[in-house]
Amino acid sequence: MSYGDSIVYEKQENIGIITFNKPEMMNLVTQAFFKELYEIQEEIDNDKSLRAVVIKANGPHFSAGVDLSILKSIDSKFIMDNLAWLQRLYGRWQEMPIPVIAAVHGLCYGSAMELILGCDIRIASRDARFSIPEVRFGLSPDMGGTVRLTKLVGIGQAKRLIIGCDEISAEEAWQIGLIEILVERKELEERAMKMAKRIANLPPVAVRFAKKGINVADESSVNAGLLFEQAQSTFCCGTEDQNESIDAFFEKRKPVFKGK
Protein backbone atom coordinates (compact mmCIF):
# COMPACT_ATOMS: atom_id res chain seq x y z
CA MET A 1 0.00 0.00 0.00
CA SER A 2 1.50 3.31 -1.08
CA TYR A 3 -1.51 5.62 -1.05
CA GLY A 4 -2.05 8.09 1.78
CA ASP A 5 -0.16 11.13 0.53
CA SER A 6 -2.49 12.63 -2.05
CA ILE A 7 -5.51 10.57 -1.01
CA VAL A 8 -6.63 9.04 2.28
CA TYR A 9 -8.83 5.95 2.32
CA GLU A 10 -10.69 4.57 5.32
CA LYS A 11 -13.72 2.45 6.15
CA GLN A 12 -16.59 3.26 8.47
CA GLU A 13 -18.36 -0.05 8.93
CA ASN A 14 -19.40 -1.01 5.38
CA ILE A 15 -18.81 2.38 3.75
CA GLY A 16 -15.55 3.30 2.01
CA ILE A 17 -14.45 6.94 2.35
CA ILE A 18 -12.00 8.48 -0.13
CA THR A 19 -10.60 11.86 0.92
CA PHE A 20 -8.44 14.08 -1.28
CA ASN A 21 -5.74 15.25 1.10
CA LYS A 22 -3.46 17.86 -0.46
CA PRO A 23 -5.27 21.05 0.58
CA GLU A 24 -2.04 23.05 0.42
CA MET A 25 -2.02 22.27 -3.34
CA MET A 26 -5.79 22.75 -3.74
CA ASN A 27 -5.98 18.96 -4.12
CA LEU A 28 -4.49 19.12 -7.61
CA VAL A 29 -4.72 16.00 -9.74
CA THR A 30 -1.17 14.72 -10.29
CA GLN A 31 0.38 11.50 -11.54
CA ALA A 32 0.80 10.44 -7.91
CA PHE A 33 -2.92 11.12 -7.43
CA PHE A 34 -3.77 8.77 -10.31
CA LYS A 35 -1.61 5.98 -8.90
CA GLU A 36 -3.06 6.31 -5.42
CA LEU A 37 -6.61 6.40 -6.76
CA TYR A 38 -5.97 3.20 -8.72
CA GLU A 39 -4.66 1.42 -5.62
CA ILE A 40 -7.71 2.48 -3.64
CA GLN A 41 -10.03 1.29 -6.39
CA GLU A 42 -8.28 -2.08 -6.34
CA GLU A 43 -8.80 -2.30 -2.58
CA ILE A 44 -12.46 -1.37 -2.93
CA ASP A 45 -13.01 -3.98 -5.65
CA ASN A 46 -11.50 -6.68 -3.46
CA ASP A 47 -13.55 -5.76 -0.38
CA LYS A 48 -16.89 -7.53 -0.72
CA SER A 49 -18.13 -6.13 2.59
CA LEU A 50 -18.48 -2.60 1.19
CA ARG A 51 -21.95 -1.31 0.38
CA ALA A 52 -21.21 2.29 -0.70
CA VAL A 53 -18.35 4.74 -1.31
CA VAL A 54 -18.15 8.46 -0.52
CA ILE A 55 -15.58 10.76 -2.18
CA LYS A 56 -14.81 14.03 -0.42
CA ALA A 57 -11.90 16.42 0.16
CA ASN A 58 -10.00 18.16 2.95
CA GLY A 59 -9.35 21.89 2.80
CA PRO A 60 -11.31 24.74 1.21
CA HIS A 61 -11.61 23.11 -2.23
CA PHE A 62 -12.61 19.72 -3.63
CA SER A 63 -9.95 20.02 -6.36
CA ALA A 64 -8.64 22.69 -8.70
CA GLY A 65 -8.13 20.05 -11.39
CA VAL A 66 -5.04 18.72 -13.08
CA ASP A 67 -1.58 20.03 -12.25
CA LEU A 68 -0.85 21.95 -15.47
CA SER A 69 2.84 21.09 -15.23
CA ILE A 70 1.85 17.54 -16.24
CA LEU A 71 0.69 18.85 -19.59
CA LYS A 72 4.10 20.34 -20.27
CA SER A 73 5.80 17.00 -19.75
CA ILE A 74 3.69 14.65 -21.89
CA ASP A 75 3.28 14.10 -25.61
CA SER A 76 1.11 12.13 -28.02
CA LYS A 77 2.98 8.89 -27.36
CA PHE A 78 2.26 9.20 -23.63
CA ILE A 79 -1.40 9.74 -24.44
CA MET A 80 -1.52 6.69 -26.71
CA ASP A 81 0.10 4.55 -24.03
CA ASN A 82 -1.86 5.83 -21.02
CA LEU A 83 -5.13 7.54 -21.86
CA ALA A 84 -7.28 4.40 -22.08
CA TRP A 85 -6.11 3.43 -18.58
CA LEU A 86 -6.79 6.94 -17.28
CA GLN A 87 -10.25 7.00 -18.84
CA ARG A 88 -11.10 3.71 -17.14
CA LEU A 89 -9.85 5.13 -13.84
CA TYR A 90 -12.65 7.69 -13.88
CA GLY A 91 -15.17 5.34 -15.48
CA ARG A 92 -14.48 2.54 -13.03
CA TRP A 93 -16.97 3.96 -10.52
CA GLN A 94 -19.67 2.77 -12.91
CA GLU A 95 -18.19 -0.73 -13.10
CA MET A 96 -18.43 -1.08 -9.33
CA PRO A 97 -21.60 -2.80 -8.08
CA ILE A 98 -21.92 -0.36 -5.19
CA PRO A 99 -23.00 3.30 -5.45
CA VAL A 100 -20.34 6.01 -5.39
CA ILE A 101 -21.32 9.40 -3.95
CA ALA A 102 -19.29 12.57 -4.54
CA ALA A 103 -19.46 15.31 -1.88
CA VAL A 104 -18.17 18.51 -3.48
CA HIS A 105 -17.28 21.90 -2.02
CA GLY A 106 -15.21 24.86 -3.17
CA LEU A 107 -13.58 24.59 -6.59
CA CYS A 108 -14.25 21.53 -8.74
CA TYR A 109 -12.38 22.12 -11.97
CA GLY A 110 -11.32 20.17 -15.03
CA SER A 111 -10.11 16.69 -14.24
CA ALA A 112 -11.87 16.75 -10.86
CA MET A 113 -15.16 17.56 -12.58
CA GLU A 114 -14.60 14.64 -14.96
CA LEU A 115 -14.04 12.42 -11.93
CA ILE A 116 -17.36 13.31 -10.30
CA LEU A 117 -19.15 12.85 -13.63
CA GLY A 118 -18.23 9.18 -13.34
CA CYS A 119 -19.84 8.89 -9.89
CA ASP A 120 -23.42 7.80 -9.30
CA ILE A 121 -24.70 10.68 -7.18
CA ARG A 122 -23.26 14.18 -6.76
CA ILE A 123 -23.95 16.31 -3.68
CA ALA A 124 -22.55 19.84 -3.51
CA SER A 125 -22.44 22.63 -0.98
CA ARG A 126 -23.55 26.11 -1.94
CA ASP A 127 -19.97 27.40 -2.05
CA ALA A 128 -19.02 24.94 -4.83
CA ARG A 129 -17.89 26.22 -8.23
CA PHE A 130 -17.70 24.07 -11.36
CA SER A 131 -15.65 24.49 -14.52
CA ILE A 132 -14.28 22.22 -17.23
CA PRO A 133 -11.74 24.55 -18.90
CA GLU A 134 -9.59 22.15 -20.95
CA VAL A 135 -10.31 23.99 -24.22
CA ARG A 136 -8.70 27.08 -22.72
CA PHE A 137 -5.44 25.11 -22.49
CA GLY A 138 -5.52 23.74 -26.02
CA LEU A 139 -7.28 20.45 -25.25
CA SER A 140 -10.72 18.94 -25.08
CA PRO A 141 -11.84 16.93 -22.02
CA ASP A 142 -10.46 13.42 -22.51
CA MET A 143 -11.36 11.45 -19.37
CA GLY A 144 -15.06 11.15 -20.05
CA GLY A 145 -15.97 14.83 -19.85
CA THR A 146 -17.48 15.28 -23.30
CA VAL A 147 -19.41 12.01 -23.06
CA ARG A 148 -20.71 12.05 -19.49
CA LEU A 149 -21.39 15.78 -19.23
CA THR A 150 -23.44 15.67 -22.44
CA LYS A 151 -25.50 12.74 -21.14
CA LEU A 152 -26.01 14.44 -17.80
CA VAL A 153 -26.94 18.01 -18.77
CA GLY A 154 -27.72 17.84 -22.49
CA ILE A 155 -25.86 18.87 -25.60
CA GLY A 156 -26.44 22.62 -25.34
CA GLN A 157 -25.29 22.99 -21.75
CA ALA A 158 -22.33 20.69 -22.40
CA LYS A 159 -21.20 22.84 -25.32
CA ARG A 160 -21.64 25.99 -23.26
CA LEU A 161 -19.56 24.62 -20.39
CA ILE A 162 -16.86 22.88 -22.44
CA ILE A 163 -16.47 25.15 -25.48
CA GLY A 164 -17.26 28.35 -23.59
CA CYS A 165 -15.21 27.34 -20.52
CA ASP A 166 -17.95 28.79 -18.33
CA GLU A 167 -17.64 28.57 -14.56
CA ILE A 168 -20.94 27.99 -12.81
CA SER A 169 -22.18 28.13 -9.24
CA ALA A 170 -23.52 25.19 -7.27
CA GLU A 171 -27.01 26.65 -7.63
CA GLU A 172 -26.75 26.68 -11.41
CA ALA A 173 -25.14 23.23 -11.43
CA TRP A 174 -28.17 21.95 -9.52
CA GLN A 175 -30.59 23.71 -11.87
CA ILE A 176 -29.10 22.11 -15.01
CA GLY A 177 -28.75 18.65 -13.47
CA LEU A 178 -25.00 18.52 -13.01
CA ILE A 179 -25.51 17.79 -9.31
CA GLU A 180 -28.41 16.00 -7.68
CA ILE A 181 -28.46 17.53 -4.18
CA LEU A 182 -27.56 21.04 -2.98
CA VAL A 183 -26.85 21.67 0.72
CA GLU A 184 -25.19 24.15 3.04
CA ARG A 185 -21.44 23.66 3.51
CA LYS A 186 -21.75 22.52 7.12
CA GLU A 187 -24.24 19.83 6.06
CA LEU A 188 -22.28 18.41 3.12
CA GLU A 189 -20.42 15.45 4.61
CA GLU A 190 -23.28 14.56 6.93
CA ARG A 191 -25.70 14.49 3.97
CA ALA A 192 -23.36 12.31 1.89
CA MET A 193 -22.78 9.87 4.73
CA LYS A 194 -26.50 9.76 5.54
CA MET A 195 -27.26 8.73 1.97
CA ALA A 196 -24.42 6.19 1.94
CA LYS A 197 -25.64 4.63 5.20
CA ARG A 198 -29.20 4.43 3.93
CA ILE A 199 -28.04 2.63 0.78
CA ALA A 200 -25.71 0.40 2.79
CA ASN A 201 -28.70 -0.82 4.79
CA LEU A 202 -30.64 -1.89 1.69
CA PRO A 203 -30.49 -5.38 0.13
CA PRO A 204 -27.09 -5.37 -1.64
CA VAL A 205 -28.13 -7.51 -4.61
CA ALA A 206 -31.11 -5.26 -5.29
CA VAL A 207 -28.86 -2.17 -5.12
CA ARG A 208 -26.41 -3.80 -7.53
CA PHE A 209 -29.10 -4.68 -10.07
CA ALA A 210 -30.74 -1.27 -9.75
CA LYS A 211 -27.45 0.48 -10.56
CA LYS A 212 -26.78 -1.82 -13.50
CA GLY A 213 -30.33 -1.46 -14.78
CA ILE A 214 -30.13 2.33 -14.77
CA ASN A 215 -26.80 2.18 -16.60
CA VAL A 216 -28.24 -0.19 -19.20
CA ALA A 217 -31.22 2.15 -19.67
CA ASP A 218 -28.87 5.09 -20.18
CA GLU A 219 -26.64 3.32 -22.68
CA SER A 220 -29.06 1.23 -24.78
CA SER A 221 -32.58 0.91 -26.16
CA VAL A 222 -35.83 0.72 -24.22
CA ASN A 223 -36.22 -2.91 -25.27
CA ALA A 224 -32.75 -3.81 -23.97
CA GLY A 225 -33.54 -2.08 -20.69
CA LEU A 226 -36.79 -4.02 -20.31
CA LEU A 227 -34.99 -7.30 -21.03
CA PHE A 228 -32.49 -6.47 -18.28
CA GLU A 229 -35.38 -5.76 -15.90
CA GLN A 230 -36.78 -9.20 -16.67
CA ALA A 231 -33.43 -10.85 -16.00
CA GLN A 232 -32.76 -9.04 -12.72
CA SER A 233 -36.28 -9.67 -11.46
CA THR A 234 -35.97 -13.37 -12.29
CA PHE A 235 -32.78 -13.47 -10.21
CA CYS A 236 -33.99 -11.38 -7.28
CA CYS A 237 -37.43 -12.86 -6.70
CA GLY A 238 -37.24 -15.50 -3.99
CA THR A 239 -33.73 -14.67 -2.79
CA GLU A 240 -32.93 -14.73 0.92
CA ASP A 241 -32.53 -10.95 0.97
CA GLN A 242 -35.88 -10.33 -0.66
CA ASN A 243 -37.66 -12.64 1.78
CA GLU A 244 -35.79 -11.05 4.69
CA SER A 245 -36.78 -7.52 3.62
CA ILE A 246 -40.46 -8.46 3.42
CA ASP A 247 -40.41 -10.41 6.70
CA ALA A 248 -38.67 -7.54 8.50
CA PHE A 249 -41.26 -5.08 7.18
CA PHE A 250 -44.18 -7.08 8.54
CA GLU A 251 -42.37 -7.93 11.79
CA LYS A 252 -41.40 -4.26 12.28
CA ARG A 253 -37.71 -4.99 12.81
CA LYS A 254 -34.42 -4.06 11.18
CA PRO A 255 -33.56 -6.49 8.36
CA VAL A 256 -30.29 -8.40 8.23
CA PHE A 257 -29.07 -8.92 4.69
CA LYS A 258 -26.52 -11.53 3.57
CA GLY A 259 -26.18 -10.54 -0.07
CA LYS A 260 -27.89 -13.78 -1.15
Side-chain angles (χ1 to χ4, degrees):
M1 182 186 77
S2 60
Y3 63 79
D5 182 28
S6 297
I7 310 174
V8 173
Y9 176 68
E10 60 183 326
K11 280 179 63 177
Q12 287 188 15
E13 298 181 348
N14 53 4
I15 298 170
I17 303 172
I18 297 171
T19 306
F20 302 158
N21 195 39
K22 280 283 188 181
E24 70 277 11
M25 295 177 58
M26 300 177 73
N27 293 317
L28 286 177
V29 174
T30 63
Q31 295 201 46
F33 176 98
F34 291 138
K35 291 177 182 177
E36 292 188 35
L37 187 62
Y38 172 76
E39 288 187 12
I40 292 168
Q41 288 179 337
E42 288 287 289
E43 186 166 332
I44 289 170
D45 269 347
N46 290 322
D47 187 347
K48 305 309 178 186
S49 69
L50 287 174
R51 295 290 178 260
V53 172
V54 171
I55 302 176
K56 61 185 185 70
N58 286 332
H61 302 293
F62 184 77
S63 171
V66 73
D67 181 354
L68 292 178
S69 64
I70 294 177
L71 303 181
K72 294 287 288 183
S73 63
I74 62 175
D75 54 19
S76 295
K77 184 178 185 308
F78 176 90
I79 294 298
M80 288 191 337
D81 291 342
N82 294 278
L83 187 54
W85 179 83
L86 290 168
Q87 287 175 328
R88 182 171 181 255
L89 194 69
Y90 281 10
R92 195 170 177 181
W93 310 122
Q94 291 303 311
E95 297 175 19
M96 293 178 179
I98 56 178
V100 180
I101 301 167
V104 183
H105 70 281
L107 300 183
C108 181
Y109 282 2
S111 185
M113 184 162 155
E114 290 187 280
L115 183 147
I116 69 165
L117 290 172
C119 297
D120 296 299
I121 300 167
R122 287 153 291 274
I123 304 173
S125 59
R126 292 187 182 276
D127 68 329
R129 305 286 300 179
F130 299 87
S131 178
I132 190 160
E134 280 85 340
V135 167
R136 177 183 172 191
F137 299 105
L139 298 167
S140 178
D142 57 8
M143 291 179 67
T146 57
V147 178
R148 295 192 180 95
L149 185 62
T150 301
K151 283 181 174 288
L152 199 61
V153 303
I155 189 169
Q157 294 288 5
K159 286 180 177 177
R160 190 258 292 202
L161 292 171
I162 293 173
I163 298 173
C165 300
D166 271 5
E167 177 184 299
I168 60 173
S169 66
E171 180 75 26
E172 187 172 359
W174 178 69
Q175 289 172 348
I176 67 173
L178 174 58
I179 62 172
E180 284 70 52
I181 300 172
L182 182 63
V183 297
E184 299 297 331
R185 175 69 183 94
K186 63 182 180 180
E187 301 169 358
L188 178 62
E189 292 185 13
E190 180 183 355
R191 184 69 175 84
M193 288 300 297
K194 183 178 180 180
M195 173 167 283
K197 289 176 181 177
R198 184 189 306 126
I199 293 170
N201 286 322
L202 295 172
V205 173
V207 170
R208 174 180 300 191
F209 273 117
K211 176 173 173 173
K212 287 183 178 180
I214 294 166
N215 287 345
V216 169
D218 183 54
E219 297 170 5
S220 60
S221 67
V222 171
N223 190 51
L226 291 172
L227 287 172
F228 184 85
E229 287 187 358
Q230 294 172 25
Q232 68 86 14
S233 191
T234 300
F235 181 93
C236 287
C237 282
T239 59
E240 289 184 31
D241 278 356
Q242 190 209 24
N243 290 331
E244 169 65 9
S245 63
I246 295 170
D247 290 344
F249 176 80
F250 284 117
E251 294 168 11
K252 295 181 172 56
R253 61 174 173 81
K254 183 177 180 180
V256 178
F257 298 118
K258 299 178 181 178
K260 298 179 180 180

